Amino acid sequence: MIAGRNRTDRTGATADVPVLEVRGLSARIAGQQVVEDVTFSVPATGVTAVLGRNGVGKTSTLKAVLGLIERRGEVRLAGERVDGERTDRIVRRGVGYVPEDREVFAGLTVAENLRLAERDAHPRRELVAELFPDLVQRAAQRAGTLSGGQQQMVSLARALLNTNRLLLVDEPTKGLAPRIVGEVSDALAEAARTVPILLVEQNLEVIERLAERVVVIDAGRVVHTGPARELLDDPDRVQQLLGVHAEVDHHGTEGAVAR
């Protein structure tokens, strides 16, 4: 972790107003209901994790918040309704998005991928260089030739270049080697010092390290909200909600993964 950077609130929300409020959110893809009556809020600091088994609507919830799929319901950013706005306008309000499948521009270089993501007058290139020194060395390399972990770093770097009110981060450690999982977690921990994060993640070791709060979704509905520590300390509840039989490992080895 980079020392000496003070934690500041740049969300535009006060301590009493969540940075994100979702009420009665439903969403459809190709006519099929994928999110149904989801309600939760994200405080203006820290990491809120969205958990659940595969296919229950976690990724669809993030996409619905951002307006990437057909949706109904209420979405407020720092107290202001945005559910009637296009995705590009929501992004310009200060919402960064790291998609599940990275979605780098394979034919462009690392540097070109990052330049395309810049929307601030003064992008935070120094922060990105500190967090991802490997990307500096590979600036001229085409993104499509990078490893999966390196592509994930490009995807994270694109979001972190800009000053955001909120980051939506979807499955950032999916398919990565344990060492790369650690590097990605380090970057997210540093980002969370200055911007709240709504994180979809399956690796409970990552959740244990990063998240302060959890929202559990099942069959397109919220079935549990509360402190992350409270849920992780209850193996029976973890198994019931997430289908995970193993407890989170507190000794630094690879942890349980919700399936």
Side-chain angles (χ1 to χ4, degrees), residues 147-176:
S147 69
Q150 291 163 343
Q151 289 186 13
Q152 184 62 72
M153 292 176 188
V154 172
S155 188
L156 282 167
R158 290 187 305 194
L160 296 176
L161 274 170
N162 303 299
T163 300
N164 292 297
R165 288 177 166 184
L166 173 67
L167 286 183
L168 307 179
V169 183
D170 193 2
E171 299 272 20
T173 70
K174 180 181 177 181
L176 301 183

Side-chain angles (χ1 to χ4, degrees), residues 47-52 58 169 171-173 181 185 188 198-216 226-229 231-232 238 242 248 255-258:
V47 176
T48 299
V50 181
L51 305 178
K58 305 184 300 295
V169 183
E171 299 272 20
T173 70
V181 169
S185 298
L188 290 172
L198 182 61
L199 172 69
V200 172
E201 179 55 65
Q202 298 277 54
N203 189 317
L204 296 188
E205 284 286 328
V206 175
I207 298 302
E208 181 186 35
R209 175 181 175 186
L210 297 178
E212 299 171 19
R213 295 157 295 275
V214 294
V215 176
V216 182
R229 181 77 274 146
L231 175 62
L232 295 177
V238 169
L242 305 178
V248 174
V257 177

Side-chain angles (χ1 to χ4, degrees), residues 104-163:
V104 300
F105 295 100
L108 300 181
T109 66
V110 169
E112 289 167 340
N113 268 269
L114 297 182
R115 281 199 297 272
L116 281 175
E118 294 177 358
R119 68 169 187 267
D120 290 356
H122 303 286
R124 300 191 294 176
R125 298 190 187 103
E126 290 185 3
L127 171 63
V128 167
E130 287 179 277
L131 290 176
F132 306 110
D134 193 36
L135 297 185
V136 177
Q137 298 173 10
R138 298 177 183 273
Q141 184 173 339
R142 293 190 185 278
T145 66
L146 299 173
S147 69
Q150 291 163 343
Q151 289 186 13
Q152 184 62 72
M153 292 176 188
V154 172
S155 188
L156 282 167
R158 290 187 305 194
L160 296 176
L161 274 170
N162 303 299
T163 300

